[in-house]
Amino acid sequence: MGQSLFPAYLIVGDPFLAAGKSEALLQEISKEISSEVAVKSADLIETSLEILLTEARTLPFLASGQIFFLQNAESLKAKSIEVLEQYLASPSAVSFLIFKAAVLEKDHPLAKLLTVKGKVYFLDPLEKKSAQARLVREKLSQAGKTITPEASRKLEEQMGGVPGLLVSLLDQLILYSGGQR
């Protein structure tokens, strides 16, 4: 495992921002490992952390590493956090756990544990606005289109901070504009 990598990460914040941070971590880990990584996703409400940690100790099939994206980290109970602490005392060198929570206090036991044994990201809600503006610019740029700053702000306001709606509307605008820039 590379020196800059941690066995576990916690991302707390808006799902749109968390998705961007997750993608960045995936790229960083893949680059550090210099090979393919197996990616697994699980919802901690539906799947036991103990089962996932057993999988994490198993070597991945046809990959040099594995990343577990674990949703709803805020649902973990004290017993599961104790099991995670035991795992992190001697983690697998080829497995990486990325916990995600929409809302979690900084003094939550999981946040405290991963501050010491991993890496914690509390995403700034103000970053969402600039991330959406970046999304608009990138999406239109890929289509060879432009938009005025005022029109971009208006689109973002009308979509109410919901990136999925914004992407859908941009796709419609791109189709509607046809050959116009």
Side-chain angles (χ1 to χ4, degrees), residues 110-158:
L110 179 63
K112 286 181 174 180
L113 173 63
L114 294 184
T115 297
V116 175
K117 300 280 188 173
K119 180 89 171 152
V120 178
Y121 298 96
F122 283 94
L123 304 175
D124 183 358
L126 299 176
E127 173 63 22
K128 185 174 181 180
K129 198 162 192 74
S130 65
Q132 285 182 318
R134 207 170 32 255
L135 172 70
V136 169
R137 283 192 311 272
E138 289 172 3
K139 185 94 173 146
L140 293 175
S141 175
Q142 290 171 356
K145 308 291 182 188
T146 59
I147 190 170
T148 66
E150 182 182 332
S152 179
R153 275 192 303 279
K154 194 163 201 123
L155 280 176
E156 292 170 42
E157 287 171 11
Q158 288 181 341

Side-chain angles (χ1 to χ4, degrees), residues 70-86:
L70 307 173
Q71 305 294 328
N72 295 311
E74 63 273 17
S75 69
L76 289 177
K77 304 291 183 224
K79 182 180 181 237
S80 293
I81 294 173
E82 287 175 22
V83 171
L84 177 60
E85 188 171 13
Q86 292 169 359

Side-chain angles (χ1 to χ4, degrees), residues 43-121:
D43 187 329
L44 292 170
I45 293 173
E46 299 170 0
T47 309
S48 159
L49 180 62
E50 291 80 1
I51 291 171
L52 294 166
L53 293 177
T54 300
E55 282 186 46
R57 290 198 184 281
T58 308
L59 292 174
F61 186 68
L62 297 176
S64 298
Q66 55 190 348
I67 298 173
F68 293 81
F69 287 103
L70 307 173
Q71 305 294 328
N72 295 311
E74 63 273 17
S75 69
L76 289 177
K77 304 291 183 224
K79 182 180 181 237
S80 293
I81 294 173
E82 287 175 22
V83 171
L84 177 60
E85 188 171 13
Q86 292 169 359
Y87 169 82
L88 291 174
S90 178
S92 168
V94 297
S95 295
F96 303 90
L97 309 172
I98 300 176
F99 294 91
K100 293 187 203 178
V103 178
L104 197 71
E105 297 298 321
K106 290 184 179 183
D107 64 348
H108 187 279
L110 179 63
K112 286 181 174 180
L113 173 63
L114 294 184
T115 297
V116 175
K117 300 280 188 173
K119 180 89 171 152
V120 178
Y121 298 96

